[in-house]
Amino acid sequence: MTANALASVSLDPPLLLVCVDHSARTHAHLHARKRFGVNVLAADQRRISQYYARPVEEQIEKESSARFDRTPTELPYCRAR
C-alpha cells in the first residue's frame, strides 16, 4: 500500500504511526502480524508509489517496476536502484 502520511511516535522502542482504512486489504495483514516495513521512495520512484496506491484489482504486477527482497522476519523491502 502507499501511505500519504507517517509519523514517528517513539525512538525507544521504535514506533511509527500510520493510518490505514479498515476496508483496505493491508489492514487485515497489519492487524494479524502486528508489524510492517517502511520503504521511503525517491522522487524518481513515483511510479512505484502510484502503483501501490491503486486498488488491488487495478494492479498488474509487471507495471510496478519495484523489486522486493525480504528481511529475516519476512518483511518486504524495495531493492536499491
Side-chain angles (χ1 to χ4, degrees):
M1 71 166 248
T2 294
N4 65 358
L6 184 76
S8 173
V9 175
S10 171
L11 293 174
D12 189 18
L15 297 173
L16 294 173
L17 169 71
V18 62
C19 298
V20 180
D21 189 307
H22 285 203
S23 66
R25 182 178 69 145
T26 303
H27 183 270
H29 177 77
L30 293 172
H31 188 70
R33 297 241 177 156
K34 308 289 189 218
R35 61 176 33 182
F36 61 94
V38 175
N39 291 277
V40 178
L41 303 175
D44 64 343
Q45 293 177 300
R46 183 181 187 127
R47 185 174 175 205
I48 297 169
S49 173
Q50 291 171 332
Y51 174 84
Y52 287 103
R54 295 181 198 158
V56 71
E57 305 83 38
E58 296 177 22
Q59 294 176 358
I60 301 169
E61 188 59 37
K62 66 181 186 177
E63 285 186 22
S64 116
S65 76
R67 299 295 171 254
F68 292 91
D69 286 324
R70 298 241 175 214
T71 67
T73 58
E74 293 298 312
L75 294 174
Y77 66 93
C78 196
R79 284 191 215 158
R81 294 171 282 162

